[in-house]
Amino acid sequence: CPRLLDWEWSRAMDGANLDLLHLSAVREMANIGLGHATTALANVTGRPFNMDVPNVETVAIENVPLMVGDPETTTVGIWLPFEGEAVGHTCFLLPWESAQALWTMLLGFAPESPSDIDELAAMLEVGNIIAGSFLNAISDMTGLRMLATPPRVSVDMAYSIAAQVVTEAEMEDVVALAMETRIHSIDDSSINGFFLCIPTRSGLNLLFNRLGISEAA
């Protein structure tokens, strides 16, 4: 399956202002949070999974739409805001082929094309599982209350979905935490995706403080 990301990761660092210590903390949160999400997904499907997180970086919010590679790639996007002591947005982006693989894992079949989709309840459930488990893991790490709100799902060109998320998130001072993900099942099927956690800058600094790290610049 082709990579969802096809760009230079270093470009995303412009404007993020996180040093190596803060980036290390972000990577640790990403691995723990997405690890919990993968376990929750395995429990729901009854199938074991392994997960790789090849890249974790901070991204200037205006660069998020650039991360999806070919802007016309058909993509399934599941996103939801989160509330509590730290607030922001999460988004899980799946290129169409990976979304089909996930549908097959969940339901035993997959639509052949976006025009064949009758309902998106399965993907909404995936959004609840991944984002909710991720936020719960970060909440357990930091002691902060972080609550997922009901997810939304869209099937559109990759750039269009990313732009929608940015439009909502840009209303506040935020930093996007970008996590490339690869989920592997025991039958060698693979789901390549991309997870975004977009907290407000003040919320991110609160997370750092709870981990015993000074605020980011």
Side-chain angles (χ1 to χ4, degrees):
C1 182
R3 292 182 64 205
L4 179 61
L5 308 180
D6 186 18
W7 71 315
E8 295 180 7
W9 277 85
S10 59
R11 292 178 59 195
M13 295 301 294
D14 297 339
N17 296 324
L18 295 188
D19 58 23
L20 292 177
L21 177 61
H22 293 95
L23 282 175
S24 177
V26 168
R27 292 188 181 100
E28 182 67 13
M29 286 190 288
N31 280 294
I32 292 175
L34 289 177
H36 279 68
T38 305
T39 299
L41 188 62
N43 290 337
V44 168
T45 61
R47 301 176 61 175
F49 293 96
N50 292 316
M51 182 195 64
D52 298 320
V53 185
N55 289 301
V56 179
E57 297 291 355
T58 56
V59 183
I61 189 64
E62 64 271 14
N63 284 344
V64 167
L66 302 176
M67 302 182 63
V68 294
D70 183 350
E72 297 185 356
T73 299
T74 300
T75 300
V76 177
I78 310 157
W79 73 95
L80 55 85
F82 58 89
E83 302 172 345
E85 294 174 275
V87 301
H89 297 76
T90 64
C91 181
F92 191 45
L93 299 173
L94 290 163
W96 179 249
E97 294 83 359
S98 286
Q100 287 178 305
L102 185 54
W103 253 303
T104 300
M105 288 180 185
L106 293 173
L107 303 176
F109 63 91
E112 294 185 6
S113 70
S115 62
D116 296 326
I117 298 173
D118 293 325
E119 51 84 23
L120 292 169
M123 286 300 168
L124 286 172
E125 182 62 20
V126 168
N128 270 325
I129 292 170
I130 293 178
S133 299
F134 178 89
L135 293 173
N136 286 339
I138 303 305
S139 179
D140 290 343
M141 286 178 63
T142 61
L144 293 173
R145 187 169 57 91
M146 302 171 69
L147 304 174
T149 63
R152 288 169 285 172
V153 63
S154 178
V155 182
D156 205 337
M157 292 186 298
Y159 187 94
S160 297
I161 296 174
Q164 289 179 53
V165 176
V166 169
T167 297
E168 293 191 20
E170 276 186 328
M171 297 175 66
E172 301 178 274
D173 182 18
V174 296
V175 177
L177 310 179
M179 309 162 207
E180 185 182 3
T181 61
R182 296 181 189 141
I183 302 173
H184 308 277
S185 67
I186 57 174
D187 62 2
D188 293 328
S189 58
S190 179
I191 300 170
N192 292 357
F194 184 72
F195 186 78
L196 283 170
C197 181
I198 311 176
T200 60
R201 192 175 293 272
S202 60
L204 181 60
N205 279 326
L206 186 57
L207 291 173
F208 287 145
N209 285 336
R210 290 297 180 92
L211 294 173
I213 302 172
S214 62
E215 293 187 359

